[in-house]
Structure formats: structure tokens, C-alpha cells
């Protein structure tokens, strides 16, 4: 079992390893920053947050501390449990009743999103914004591991599925004002470049709730960057959205 290392407790040789890996684009350890959560760290490195917890001996509810060093890549003698190279869209369609959730944003009666959502692998999805897709998914491009939707400045951003807000902030470079929602133990979705965030971490949101406003934070144009991840791995949202 690999335990997390406390701040300033990392040996000099390990610091060299961290710096070497950072220089070549591959990271083994990450030092926890003030706004980090296990979910946001997993998002940054494309790992399942549960894998990171396991590698560092962290039990639920996954409490981490500023300054700690966390392993964010599997040990050499341990493979990632789920393949992170390809994830095919589920072939079966299931519909499950939505659980009660606390509404934390604009009342539902003001939301009009069409067409009707579809269900994939126990999660029902709908479009997170009204607009045109201007950038498509490209797994080989770090900047395109989702889709970009062009929409007017300040337009509503909707929760694509019900879930819990596990990240709300601007600490992940390249995403601007970002919201991450956990839908179940398998699925996360993210909403980036917002003008303004309307939900806080820990809030429960229902599908279709307004969680943010479209903006251009850390982006060259006004747009919503939207991602779906399965066990930490980005997948093409167009395979899941109606």
C-alpha cells in the first residue's frame, strides 16, 4: 500500500522524479493545492479518483490535506484496474427513476431543453447548453477531450444529468470557471469556461438545473466546454447526448 506523503516530507530523490516527469509530460506525484479535491486531481491527470485514493491509502470520504504529495500514476508493478485507452459507448439502454435532489439554481419551469434526453448505462443525459458544436472530441488532443458549444454570453448552463457537485472553482488550469458533477460511481461530467458559477461543492442538482452561465474564462471565445468521463477516462459526449 502506498501512503500519501506529508508536506515537506518528500525526499530529494523523489522531488527529482517529480520534476523529471513534469518536464516530460508524465506525472507520478502531485502536491495538494488549496482548492484541490480528489475529484479535481483525478480530472487533471485523467485518472479515476478511486484509483488515486487506493494508491495513496485514502478511505472514503476521501479527505486530503494541502501540501500532501499524492501518487497520481499507478506503481510500476500495478496496472490500472480498468483500461484507460478505450471506452466504448454502452450498447444497452436503461431508464432508472431519478432520486430526489435539492434544487440549487433556477426553477425548473424556466428550463426548456429539447430534444428529449436518452439513457445510457443508467445515466440519462440532455444537452448542457443551447448552441452549436464548434469543436468535437479528440482523445489525442488535451484541449479537445470533450466538445465546445458556442452559445451567447451569459446563457444558461444546465446539469446534463442529476448528481452531486464535486468541484466548483477555477483551480484547474485551462478550464476557467469549472463545475464537475458526479452522477454515480462511474460517471462524471464537467462544464468549463463559465462566466459565473451558480452552485457550490457538495450541492445536489437535478437534471436540467441551471448550474452556471456561459462565458469565456480561459478561452479565446464565448463557449461551454463539456466533458463526460467514465472511471476518469474522457469519452465522446456526442455518443451519449440525444
Amino acid at each position: 500500500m502506498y501512503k500519501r506523503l506529508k508536506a515537506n516530507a518528500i525526499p530529494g530523490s523523489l522531488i527529482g522524479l517529480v520534476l523529471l516527469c513534469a518536464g516530460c509530460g508524465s506525472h507520478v506525484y502531485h502536491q495538494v493545492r488549496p482548492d484541490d479535491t480528489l475529484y479535481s486531481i483525478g480530472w487533471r491527470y485523467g485518472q479515476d479518483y478511486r484509483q488515486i485514493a487506493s494508491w495513496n491509502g485514502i478511505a472514503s470520504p476521501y479527505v486530503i490535506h494541502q501540501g500532501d504529495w499524492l501518487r497520481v500514476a499507478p506503481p510500476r508493478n500495478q496496472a490500472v484496474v480498468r483500461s484507460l485507452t478505450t471506452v466504448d459507448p454502452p450498447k444497452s439502454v436503461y431508464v432508472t427513476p431519478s432520486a430526489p435532489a435539492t434544487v440549487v439554481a433556477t426553477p425548473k419551469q424556466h428550463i426548456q431543453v429539447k430534444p428529449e434526453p436518452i439513457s445510457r448505462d443508467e445515466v440519462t443525459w440532455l444537452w448542457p447548453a443551447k448552441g452549436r458544436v464548434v469543436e468535437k472530441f479528440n482523445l489525442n488532443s488535451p484541449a479537445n477531450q470533450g466538445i465546445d458549444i458556442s452559445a451567447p454570453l451569459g446563457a444558461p448552463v444546465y446539469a446534463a444529468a442529476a448528481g452531486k457537485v464535486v468541484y466548483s472553482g477555477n483551480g484547474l488550469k485551462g478550464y476557467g470557471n469549472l463545475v464537475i458533477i458526479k452522477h454515480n460511481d462511474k460517471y462524471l461530467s464537467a462544464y468549463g469556461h463559465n462566466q459565473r458559477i451558480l452552485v457550490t461543492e457538495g450541492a445536489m442538482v437535478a437534471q436540467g438545473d441551471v448550474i452556471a452561465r456561459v462565458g469565456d474564462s480561459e478561452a479565446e471565445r464565448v463557449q461551454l466546454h463539456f466533458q463526460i468521463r467514465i472511471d476518469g477516462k474522457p469519452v465522446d459526449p456526442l455518443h451519449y447526448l440525444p
Side-chain angles (χ1 to χ4, degrees), residues 35-55:
D35 296 330
D36 280 347
T37 67
L38 206 61
Y39 298 96
S40 67
I41 293 171
W43 199 273
R44 184 191 302 273
Y45 297 105
Q47 302 285 10
D48 185 352
Y49 66 94
R50 290 165 297 181
Q51 289 279 6
I52 296 177
S54 175
W55 297 331

mmCIF file of all heavy atoms in Angstrom, residues 35-55:
data_model
loop_
_atom_site.group_PDB
_atom_site.id
_atom_site.type_symbol
_atom_site.label_atom_id
_atom_site.label_comp_id
_atom_site.label_asym_id
_atom_site.label_seq_id
_atom_site.Cartn_x
_atom_site.Cartn_y
_atom_site.Cartn_z
ATOM 1 N N ASP A 35 -7.241 24.532 -3.358
ATOM 2 C CA ASP A 35 -8.582 24.277 -3.886
ATOM 3 C C ASP A 35 -8.754 22.859 -4.425
ATOM 4 O O ASP A 35 -9.788 22.540 -5.013
ATOM 5 C CB ASP A 35 -8.913 25.280 -5.001
ATOM 6 C CG ASP A 35 -8.972 26.708 -4.484
ATOM 7 O OD1 ASP A 35 -9.327 26.883 -3.303
ATOM 8 O OD2 ASP A 35 -8.659 27.636 -5.246
ATOM 9 N N ASP A 36 -7.776 21.992 -4.235
ATOM 10 C CA ASP A 36 -7.853 20.645 -4.799
ATOM 11 C C ASP A 36 -8.857 19.771 -4.056
ATOM 12 O O ASP A 36 -9.030 19.887 -2.837
ATOM 13 C CB ASP A 36 -6.486 19.957 -4.736
ATOM 14 C CG ASP A 36 -5.547 20.399 -5.846
ATOM 15 O OD1 ASP A 36 -6.008 21.044 -6.799
ATOM 16 O OD2 ASP A 36 -4.339 20.088 -5.748
ATOM 17 N N THR A 37 -9.493 18.894 -4.814
ATOM 18 C CA THR A 37 -10.235 17.771 -4.255
ATOM 19 C C THR A 37 -9.729 16.525 -4.966
ATOM 20 O O THR A 37 -9.054 16.622 -5.994
ATOM 21 C CB THR A 37 -11.748 17.917 -4.490
ATOM 22 O OG1 THR A 37 -12.019 17.815 -5.907
ATOM 23 C CG2 THR A 37 -12.266 19.259 -3.977
ATOM 24 N N LEU A 38 -10.057 15.360 -4.439
ATOM 25 C CA LEU A 38 -9.620 14.135 -5.094
ATOM 26 C C LEU A 38 -10.217 14.033 -6.494
ATOM 27 O O LEU A 38 -9.593 13.517 -7.422
ATOM 28 C CB LEU A 38 -10.012 12.917 -4.258
ATOM 29 C CG LEU A 38 -9.134 11.674 -4.447
ATOM 30 C CD1 LEU A 38 -7.693 11.977 -4.066
ATOM 31 C CD2 LEU A 38 -9.655 10.509 -3.630
ATOM 32 N N TYR A 39 -11.428 14.559 -6.667
ATOM 33 C CA TYR A 39 -12.079 14.534 -7.973
ATOM 34 C C TYR A 39 -11.343 15.436 -8.961
ATOM 35 O O TYR A 39 -11.111 15.065 -10.117
ATOM 36 C CB TYR A 39 -13.538 14.975 -7.845
ATOM 37 C CG TYR A 39 -14.365 14.080 -6.964
ATOM 38 C CD1 TYR A 39 -14.567 14.383 -5.630
ATOM 39 C CD2 TYR A 39 -14.939 12.922 -7.471
ATOM 40 C CE1 TYR A 39 -15.322 13.558 -4.809
ATOM 41 C CE2 TYR A 39 -15.695 12.089 -6.659
ATOM 42 C CZ TYR A 39 -15.888 12.414 -5.330
ATOM 43 O OH TYR A 39 -16.627 11.589 -4.531
ATOM 44 N N SER A 40 -10.963 16.640 -8.520
ATOM 45 C CA SER A 40 -10.282 17.564 -9.437
ATOM 46 C C SER A 40 -8.881 17.071 -9.778
ATOM 47 O O SER A 40 -8.411 17.254 -10.902
ATOM 48 C CB SER A 40 -10.219 18.970 -8.830
ATOM 49 O OG SER A 40 -9.375 19.022 -7.689
ATOM 50 N N ILE A 41 -8.213 16.414 -8.821
ATOM 51 C CA ILE A 41 -6.891 15.855 -9.109
ATOM 52 C C ILE A 41 -7.020 14.720 -10.124
ATOM 53 O O ILE A 41 -6.241 14.618 -11.077
ATOM 54 C CB ILE A 41 -6.220 15.365 -7.815
ATOM 55 C CG1 ILE A 41 -5.910 16.564 -6.905
ATOM 56 C CG2 ILE A 41 -4.936 14.608 -8.126
ATOM 57 C CD1 ILE A 41 -5.436 16.166 -5.517
ATOM 58 N N GLY A 42 -8.012 13.862 -9.936
ATOM 59 C CA GLY A 42 -8.254 12.797 -10.903
ATOM 60 C C GLY A 42 -8.551 13.353 -12.278
ATOM 61 O O GLY A 42 -8.098 12.831 -13.301
ATOM 62 N N TRP A 43 -9.324 14.463 -12.308
ATOM 63 C CA TRP A 43 -9.659 15.094 -13.586
ATOM 64 C C TRP A 43 -8.407 15.626 -14.270
ATOM 65 O O TRP A 43 -8.220 15.467 -15.475
ATOM 66 C CB TRP A 43 -10.650 16.232 -13.338
ATOM 67 C CG TRP A 43 -11.386 16.631 -14.557
ATOM 68 C CD1 TRP A 43 -11.022 17.535 -15.502
ATOM 69 C CD2 TRP A 43 -12.637 16.083 -14.993
ATOM 70 N NE1 TRP A 43 -11.964 17.602 -16.486
ATOM 71 C CE2 TRP A 43 -12.960 16.726 -16.202
ATOM 72 C CE3 TRP A 43 -13.504 15.133 -14.473
ATOM 73 C CZ2 TRP A 43 -14.132 16.430 -16.898
ATOM 74 C CZ3 TRP A 43 -14.666 14.850 -15.160
ATOM 75 C CH2 TRP A 43 -14.961 15.494 -16.362
ATOM 76 N N ARG A 44 -7.524 16.227 -13.490
ATOM 77 C CA ARG A 44 -6.299 16.821 -14.044
ATOM 78 C C ARG A 44 -5.416 15.779 -14.723
ATOM 79 O O ARG A 44 -4.832 16.037 -15.781
ATOM 80 C CB ARG A 44 -5.523 17.525 -12.926
ATOM 81 C CG ARG A 44 -4.275 18.273 -13.387
ATOM 82 C CD ARG A 44 -3.450 18.704 -12.186
ATOM 83 N NE ARG A 44 -4.196 19.535 -11.271
ATOM 84 C CZ ARG A 44 -4.302 20.863 -11.369
ATOM 85 N NH1 ARG A 44 -3.683 21.489 -12.352
ATOM 86 N NH2 ARG A 44 -4.986 21.559 -10.490
ATOM 87 N N TYR A 45 -5.331 14.592 -14.122
ATOM 88 C CA TYR A 45 -4.405 13.579 -14.616
ATOM 89 C C TYR A 45 -5.093 12.440 -15.357
ATOM 90 O O TYR A 45 -4.440 11.460 -15.733
ATOM 91 C CB TYR A 45 -3.568 13.024 -13.455
ATOM 92 C CG TYR A 45 -2.706 14.092 -12.818
ATOM 93 C CD1 TYR A 45 -3.051 14.641 -11.586
ATOM 94 C CD2 TYR A 45 -1.568 14.579 -13.463
ATOM 95 C CE1 TYR A 45 -2.275 15.640 -11.005
ATOM 96 C CE2 TYR A 45 -0.792 15.566 -12.890
ATOM 97 C CZ TYR A 45 -1.151 16.095 -11.665
ATOM 98 O OH TYR A 45 -0.390 17.091 -11.097
ATOM 99 N N GLY A 46 -6.407 12.566 -15.585
ATOM 100 C CA GLY A 46 -7.111 11.548 -16.349
ATOM 101 C C GLY A 46 -7.197 10.207 -15.642
ATOM 102 O O GLY A 46 -7.141 9.153 -16.267
ATOM 103 N N GLN A 47 -7.325 10.248 -14.314
ATOM 104 C CA GLN A 47 -7.399 9.025 -13.525
ATOM 105 C C GLN A 47 -8.724 8.965 -12.764
ATOM 106 O O GLN A 47 -9.315 9.994 -12.431
ATOM 107 C CB GLN A 47 -6.245 8.951 -12.509
ATOM 108 C CG GLN A 47 -4.865 9.005 -13.119
ATOM 109 C CD GLN A 47 -4.456 7.694 -13.790
ATOM 110 O OE1 GLN A 47 -5.267 6.792 -13.972
ATOM 111 N NE2 GLN A 47 -3.186 7.589 -14.159
ATOM 112 N N ASP A 48 -9.159 7.761 -12.473
ATOM 113 C CA ASP A 48 -10.324 7.559 -11.624
ATOM 114 C C ASP A 48 -9.948 7.976 -10.204
ATOM 115 O O ASP A 48 -8.909 7.553 -9.684
ATOM 116 C CB ASP A 48 -10.727 6.080 -11.672
ATOM 117 C CG ASP A 48 -12.000 5.782 -10.906
ATOM 118 O OD1 ASP A 48 -12.498 6.689 -10.203
ATOM 119 O OD2 ASP A 48 -12.489 4.648 -11.001
ATOM 120 N N TYR A 49 -10.766 8.799 -9.570
ATOM 121 C CA TYR A 49 -10.454 9.277 -8.229
ATOM 122 C C TYR A 49 -10.300 8.116 -7.241
ATOM 123 O O TYR A 49 -9.534 8.198 -6.278
ATOM 124 C CB TYR A 49 -11.525 10.252 -7.739
ATOM 125 C CG TYR A 49 -12.895 9.630 -7.531
ATOM 126 C CD1 TYR A 49 -13.292 9.161 -6.282
ATOM 127 C CD2 TYR A 49 -13.794 9.500 -8.589
ATOM 128 C CE1 TYR A 49 -14.533 8.582 -6.092
ATOM 129 C CE2 TYR A 49 -15.040 8.925 -8.411
ATOM 130 C CZ TYR A 49 -15.406 8.469 -7.158
ATOM 131 O OH TYR A 49 -16.641 7.901 -6.978
ATOM 132 N N ARG A 50 -10.987 7.006 -7.486
ATOM 133 C CA ARG A 50 -10.878 5.847 -6.592
ATOM 134 C C ARG A 50 -9.521 5.167 -6.729
ATOM 135 O O ARG A 50 -8.993 4.619 -5.760
ATOM 136 C CB ARG A 50 -12.016 4.867 -6.874
ATOM 137 C CG ARG A 50 -13.379 5.396 -6.443
ATOM 138 C CD ARG A 50 -14.489 4.590 -7.059
ATOM 139 N NE ARG A 50 -14.480 4.705 -8.522
ATOM 140 C CZ ARG A 50 -15.371 4.108 -9.311
ATOM 141 N NH1 ARG A 50 -16.311 3.348 -8.793
ATOM 142 N NH2 ARG A 50 -15.317 4.268 -10.618
ATOM 143 N N GLN A 51 -8.955 5.185 -7.940
ATOM 144 C CA GLN A 51 -7.612 4.648 -8.135
ATOM 145 C C GLN A 51 -6.602 5.464 -7.337
ATOM 146 O O GLN A 51 -5.730 4.919 -6.665
ATOM 147 C CB GLN A 51 -7.253 4.661 -9.623
ATOM 148 C CG GLN A 51 -8.004 3.651 -10.465
ATOM 149 C CD GLN A 51 -7.392 2.254 -10.383
ATOM 150 O OE1 GLN A 51 -6.480 2.022 -9.618
ATOM 151 N NE2 GLN A 51 -7.905 1.336 -11.171
ATOM 152 N N ILE A 52 -6.706 6.795 -7.436
ATOM 153 C CA ILE A 52 -5.783 7.658 -6.698
ATOM 154 C C ILE A 52 -5.926 7.422 -5.202
ATOM 155 O O ILE A 52 -4.934 7.357 -4.463
ATOM 156 C CB ILE A 52 -6.023 9.134 -7.056
ATOM 157 C CG1 ILE A 52 -5.702 9.384 -8.538
ATOM 158 C CG2 ILE A 52 -5.192 10.060 -6.168
ATOM 159 C CD1 ILE A 52 -5.967 10.795 -9.002
ATOM 160 N N ALA A 53 -7.153 7.287 -4.724
ATOM 161 C CA ALA A 53 -7.381 7.010 -3.307
ATOM 162 C C ALA A 53 -6.714 5.697 -2.905
ATOM 163 O O ALA A 53 -6.071 5.600 -1.855
ATOM 164 C CB ALA A 53 -8.875 6.977 -3.014
ATOM 165 N N SER A 54 -6.853 4.686 -3.747
ATOM 166 C CA SER A 54 -6.269 3.377 -3.448
ATOM 167 C C SER A 54 -4.750 3.444 -3.414
ATOM 168 O O SER A 54 -4.108 2.887 -2.509
ATOM 169 C CB SER A 54 -6.730 2.360 -4.498
ATOM 170 O OG SER A 54 -6.097 1.107 -4.318
ATOM 171 N N TRP A 55 -4.145 4.137 -4.396
ATOM 172 C CA TRP A 55 -2.689 4.231 -4.455
ATOM 173 C C TRP A 55 -2.110 4.958 -3.240
ATOM 174 O O TRP A 55 -0.948 4.762 -2.891
ATOM 175 C CB TRP A 55 -2.248 4.966 -5.721
ATOM 176 C CG TRP A 55 -2.632 4.265 -6.988
ATOM 177 C CD1 TRP A 55 -2.799 2.916 -7.164
ATOM 178 C CD2 TRP A 55 -2.902 4.860 -8.252
ATOM 179 N NE1 TRP A 55 -3.158 2.647 -8.460
ATOM 180 C CE2 TRP A 55 -3.232 3.817 -9.156
ATOM 181 C CE3 TRP A 55 -2.903 6.179 -8.727
ATOM 182 C CZ2 TRP A 55 -3.559 4.053 -10.488
ATOM 183 C CZ3 TRP A 55 -3.220 6.419 -10.056
ATOM 184 C CH2 TRP A 55 -3.541 5.356 -10.923
#
